[in-house]
Amino acid sequence: MKIALDGMGGDWAPANPVSGAIEALRRFPQIERLYLVGREADLKAELDKHGPVSPRVEIVPALQVVEMGDAAIDSVRRKKDSSISRAVDLVKRGDAQAVVSAGHTGAAVAASTVRLRTLPGVVRPGIATVMPTETNLFVLIDAGANIDAKPVHLGQYAIMGAAYSEHVLGYTNPSVGLMSIGTEEAKGNDLTREVFKLLSALPINFRGNVEGHDLFEHPVEVVVTDGFVGNVMLKTTESIAGAMLHWLKHELAQNPVRMFGAMLARGAFRAIRRKTNYEEYGGSPLLGVNGVCIIAHGASSPLAITNAIRVAAESISHDLNPHIVERIAAARELFGPAEEAAPQPQA
């Protein structure tokens, strides 16, 4: 398989993308070609720090970089020679099977949607983020691609999220919940009440509304929400996980008895750290586009980049898109008149 990596994307680019790419090639022999896309001199300088360059790496020059302050659609239109645009172009031409970027989320969504287009029947793509609980993993969709969502978008997110949960994560008939402020059907705003009716009619295992505490106490396999709420949820839970570990470390260091207990339990602490560390999950697939696009955290470490590339390789091998197209087509009549598919990334 062949994967394109946005070498200039992320807070610590190109150092972290290059380091992550080298480690990914070491771990995943099934990757026969990894395209590093970006400013050639910068990428070569980083590669030289790691010794002899693997013949499986190929630099694809791109002179421009999308900055975090750039507007998503405008950056794709004005910066046609940006690293993210060139990386997506490799997928469009068939030279690569997936693109990975830790850069500007909105630009990655826009470039993928404009250049690759959406799958037949899909109106808006959604970011599917995998999150851990004590008993399972659940898919949060949308995690930031579309903040001004309509009922049809969330209905399709439910279908795509369920397809990902089943075919990639391995859950049989995954349960789907709608994020709201109460479990009753009448709770929520106009959007969630309308979406509740739509999800109830779709051929999915819809369990009804879920609240914030349900995410980890009574988990479902797929949580559906708009990109605004989803992105806030994602960043809040990431922050809480990091803060809890920091607080725990501080408290355990207060006296020798606690420190001794911590030494005895350090295996458990490491397991929790791994389970709650976003670096272990790597990146989130943008579901609904005609290709594979993996969006990684802007602050991705080399480990996070390596795992984002792993997610891309797994997505390629599972060939999810035909399943999404089939399920969207089966529910077409429930979505009403066709809406023109156009990119509206906001994150």
Side-chain angles (χ1 to χ4, degrees):
M1 56 184 63
K2 300 178 180 180
I3 296 173
L5 174 64
D6 177 4
M8 310 307 295
D11 299 342
W12 309 104
N16 287 5
V18 170
S19 295
I22 291 172
E23 179 62 18
L25 289 174
R26 187 186 70 82
R27 291 191 190 184
F28 313 124
Q30 68 269 35
I31 301 175
E32 58 181 292
R33 178 72 61 183
L34 198 150
Y35 297 101
L36 273 176
V37 187
R39 291 171 177 160
E40 188 170 10
D42 294 343
L43 295 175
K44 283 184 176 179
E46 287 299 327
L47 284 170
D48 289 343
K49 296 177 182 178
H50 296 271
V53 179
S54 168
R56 295 154 65 199
V57 173
E58 180 177 334
I59 292 177
V60 177
L63 297 177
Q64 297 175 303
V65 176
V66 175
E67 306 294 344
M68 294 307 295
D70 292 339
I73 291 292
D74 288 345
S75 68
V76 174
R77 291 171 177 166
R78 291 185 295 103
K79 295 185 174 180
K80 298 184 183 298
D81 195 28
S82 70
S83 56
I84 181 59
S85 291
R86 292 304 183 203
V88 173
D89 282 342
L90 290 170
V91 178
K92 180 180 179 180
R93 294 199 304 265
D95 296 327
Q97 296 157 281
V99 57
V100 177
S101 178
H104 192 302
T105 299
V109 173
S112 298
T113 308
V114 169
R115 285 172 160 74
L116 303 179
R117 310 306 299 171
T118 55
L119 293 170
V122 174
V123 181
R124 294 284 187 275
I127 298 173
T129 295
V130 175
M131 301 185 70
T133 74
E134 184 178 358
T135 58
N136 73 341
L137 297 173
F138 71 86
V139 177
L140 172 67
I141 183 171
D142 172 32
N146 179 17
I147 66 172
D148 296 316
K150 298 179 180 178
V152 63
H153 305 154
L154 270 66
Q156 294 191 343
Y157 293 161
I159 289 176
M160 293 191 292
Y164 187 87
S165 180
E166 179 178 342
H167 293 282
V168 178
L169 299 183
Y171 290 103
T172 301
N173 194 26
S175 56
V176 179
L178 174 63
M179 194 67 204
S180 189
I181 58 172
T183 58
E184 299 84 359
E185 179 178 353
K187 290 291 183 69
N189 55 21
D190 291 342
L191 174 64
T192 57
R193 288 193 293 270
E194 190 67 26
V195 173
F196 189 102
K197 297 176 184 177
L198 177 57
L199 298 190
S200 299
L202 290 176
I204 57 175
N205 183 15
F206 181 49
R207 295 289 182 85
N209 289 339
V210 293
E211 300 181 80
H213 59 76
D214 292 323
L215 298 181
F216 303 100
E217 293 180 7
H218 307 286
V220 291
E221 277 76 57
V222 181
V223 175
V224 178
T225 187
D226 64 87
F228 185 92
V229 173
N231 195 258
V232 172
M233 289 170 56
L234 174 62
K235 292 176 179 176
T236 300
T237 52
E238 285 178 350
S239 175
I240 291 174
M244 288 294 292
L245 290 171
H246 177 77
W247 297 339
L248 185 59
K249 182 178 180 180
H250 174 76
E251 291 298 329
L252 290 173
Q254 293 305 299
N255 62 63
V257 175
R258 289 183 180 182
M259 292 175 66
F260 179 71
M263 289 181 62
L264 295 178
R266 60 185 175 183
F269 293 142
R270 287 173 180 169
I272 293 174
R273 169 63 177 166
R274 287 194 299 269
K275 192 170 186 178
T276 59
N277 184 7
Y278 78 88
E279 295 174 315
E280 297 291 339
Y281 298 90
S284 303
L286 179 66
L287 300 184
V289 294
N290 189 21
V292 175
C293 174
I294 306 299
I295 296 175
H297 201 292
S300 287
S301 65
L303 174 61
I305 295 294
T306 297
N307 280 318
I309 295 170
R310 171 186 56 78
V311 173
E314 291 172 350
S315 297
I316 293 169
S317 64
H318 284 99
D319 198 19
L320 178 66
N321 283 346
H323 299 289
I324 290 177
V325 171
E326 179 182 1
R327 295 186 184 196
I328 292 291
R332 182 174 57 247
E333 294 182 359
L334 296 172
F335 294 132
E339 178 183 339
E340 181 182 359
Q344 289 189 348
Q346 305 288 340

